[in-house]
Amino acid sequence: MFSSEQNSSKLVKYGELIVLGCNGSLPGGERGRRWSRFCLVKRPTANGVKPSTSHTCSPQAAKVISNTSQHSVSYTLSWAETVVVEYTDDNETDMYQIGRSTERPIDIVVTNTGSGGHGNGPVRSLQSTISRFACRIVCDRTPPYTARLYAAGFDCSRNIFLGEKAAKWHTFGGQMDGLTTNGVLLMQPARGSRPAVWREISVCGNVFTLRDPASPQNRGKQVKDESPILLDGSLIDLCGVTLLWRSVEGLANSPTSSHLEALRLRLNAARPQCPVLLSTLAFPSLDGPRPRRPWAYMTCGHVHGYHPWQGRGVVFKQQSLPEAEKSETEGDGGRDSGDREGHMEGIENDGEAVTEERDGDREEKVDSGREGETVKRGQDEGQRDIEKDREREREKERQMEEIEGEVEAIKGDRECPLCRSRGPYVPLTLGRVSGVYTDAETPSHAFVPCGHVCSKGTAEHWSKTPLKRGTHSFHPACPFCLRQLRRDRPFVRLIFQGPLD
């Protein structure tokens, strides 16, 4: 059984997979088998498989052996030779498949993630680099419920096909093994003196060093003292998306979403002030009103509200938030005056109707028709007012997004009014993925340059964790938006200004 949430304590839970770079929600919505957080629970019936017998035959015979009623892996060695390894049912394990495909064999559908133009989270690339059937996780159905990672997943015909150009070889036991084209990488958390390094996982679950980019068909060196067993904090890279594995024990010691919400309310209860505009700042909730949002200088960490100050000798051309609010107020005033004129017009029309009613029965019919038109006109005006209100709200949101987007796109640094240090000036956003946090301390630091806020321990952990960037490079990145961190200063301590009273 598969679940996107931990909604029942009666279910045996194996662990959770968290998609990095989403900050708690996918931009296109979460539904079906596409989520930013997946909970793996025990299935009612085991669906695991394990290798059985192998056959060496021609490609034509391989089609006969590899039928849709049995799982198998086909290794094409040449145009005249193919090795087919049959898999049998394993009643002691549960299997979960991950990939880009939306077909039924895939339990967890993932898409490409990465930093957008402003570091706002996941974006869909024009051509996905994730395999349709990328990998599979096999969990033991008995305690301690060990979870193992394997490269490649079975397709709709229950087959894994490794073509002639894929890396594959004979093992010492007479079996076959291989690597997928894009590769499935695993990084175990650091344990004692052993550092956290990226490894590549094969179809049979063996661990290898990373391949040489110049010769992708040659496998790396096998690391026999390491296993594909997932530990709390293990990272899985599928060449386009990075998944974080959290065990049940690790989640029990991690902060929850309600705890992060309590920390947000505690920060707002301190009533931090903007030292320039002397206004109260607050971190907004997901579904509540949007108060004045905190901004910070990434060099010194001083927290402000948004203001047009850029430094001495710098011209600021963007519209500030007070000006935008003033224009909205003027727009409201125009609508109110229009409503007032319409109301006075209705009163005058009613007065005329009363006067004409005294002239006779003929005028009464005319007046009744005119009153009906007045009522209808009032209803139409009310409907138009509702539509104007909705349009005004949409326009307000659009202006806010444009202002924030333009400010984030400003080239160069800005000068802090308090300490005169120059650096990026970005809005602050709370990290909302509880599974990413390493402790339950108060959010006090922000990643540079994206501005996502988290605890000090969390910032230190991810600033030392290299994530895959592009095809072959690895750099520390923000776990909430996957934006690459600055090498010289990956995070900064925030300095809030208290209220004047």
Side-chain angles (χ1 to χ4, degrees), residues 264 268 280-285 288-295 321 325 400 404:
R264 183 188 71 85
N268 293 342
T280 302
L281 309 175
F283 289 95
S285 62
R290 299 187 63 86
R292 186 171 295 279
R293 185 180 183 182
W295 289 59
L321 292 182
E325 294 174 355
M400 293 290 291
E404 292 181 0

Side-chain angles (χ1 to χ4, degrees), residues 353 363-374:
E363 269 90 0
E364 288 182 0
K365 296 180 181 179
V366 175
D367 292 339
S368 61
R370 184 176 298 174
E371 288 177 359
E373 293 177 358
T374 303

Side-chain angles (χ1 to χ4, degrees), residues 316-335:
F316 185 76
K317 298 181 180 180
Q318 278 79 6
Q319 183 185 24
S320 62
L321 292 182
E323 293 176 354
E325 294 174 355
K326 181 179 178 181
S327 63
E328 292 171 4
T329 304
E330 293 176 354
D332 294 340
R335 183 182 67 86

Side-chain angles (χ1 to χ4, degrees), residues 276-474:
V276 175
L277 302 178
L278 302 180
S279 58
T280 302
L281 309 175
F283 289 95
S285 62
L286 292 177
D287 52 359
R290 299 187 63 86
R292 186 171 295 279
R293 185 180 183 182
W295 289 59
Y297 290 88
M298 293 289 98
T299 301
C300 58
H302 283 116
V303 179
H304 296 70
Y306 176 76
H307 54 77
W309 167 266
Q310 281 189 279
R312 292 164 293 184
V314 181
V315 180
F316 185 76
K317 298 181 180 180
Q318 278 79 6
Q319 183 185 24
S320 62
L321 292 182
E323 293 176 354
E325 294 174 355
K326 181 179 178 181
S327 63
E328 292 171 4
T329 304
E330 293 176 354
D332 294 340
R335 183 182 67 86
D336 294 339
S337 62
D339 293 343
R340 198 179 303 110
E341 293 177 359
H343 179 67
M344 296 300 296
E345 183 180 356
I347 294 176
E348 294 175 359
N349 290 339
D350 291 340
E352 293 177 359
V354 173
T355 303
E356 293 177 357
E357 184 178 355
R358 300 173 182 175
D359 294 338
D361 295 338
R362 184 175 59 83
E363 269 90 0
E364 288 182 0
K365 296 180 181 179
V366 175
D367 292 339
S368 61
R370 184 176 298 174
E371 288 177 359
E373 293 177 358
T374 303
V375 173
K376 182 178 179 181
R377 181 170 53 188
Q379 294 176 351
D380 294 340
E381 290 178 354
Q383 184 65 27
R384 285 195 296 268
D385 291 340
I386 294 176
E387 294 178 356
K388 289 180 180 179
D389 292 337
R390 294 175 179 175
E391 182 64 26
R392 187 162 50 254
E393 290 295 331
R394 289 193 294 265
E395 181 66 19
K396 182 179 179 180
E397 295 178 358
R398 186 185 64 81
Q399 290 179 358
M400 293 290 291
E401 293 177 356
E402 288 182 354
I403 292 174
E404 292 181 0
E406 290 175 356
V407 173
E408 290 183 9
I410 291 178
K411 302 297 183 181
D413 297 334
R414 299 182 63 178
E415 184 179 271
C416 175
L418 296 181
C419 63
R420 300 297 185 182
S421 62
R422 301 193 65 86
Y425 182 59
V426 300
L428 299 179
T429 304
L430 280 177
R432 299 186 178 276
V433 186
S434 58
V436 169
Y437 282 74
T438 60
D439 53 43
E441 299 298 327
T442 302
S444 58
H445 289 66
F447 288 107
V448 181
C450 61
H452 281 98
V453 183
C454 61
S455 63
K456 179 181 179 181
T458 303
E460 291 179 345
H461 171 76
W462 290 103
S463 64
K464 300 176 182 178
T465 303
L467 300 180
K468 192 174 183 181
R469 309 292 299 165
T471 307
H472 306 296
S473 60
F474 296 87

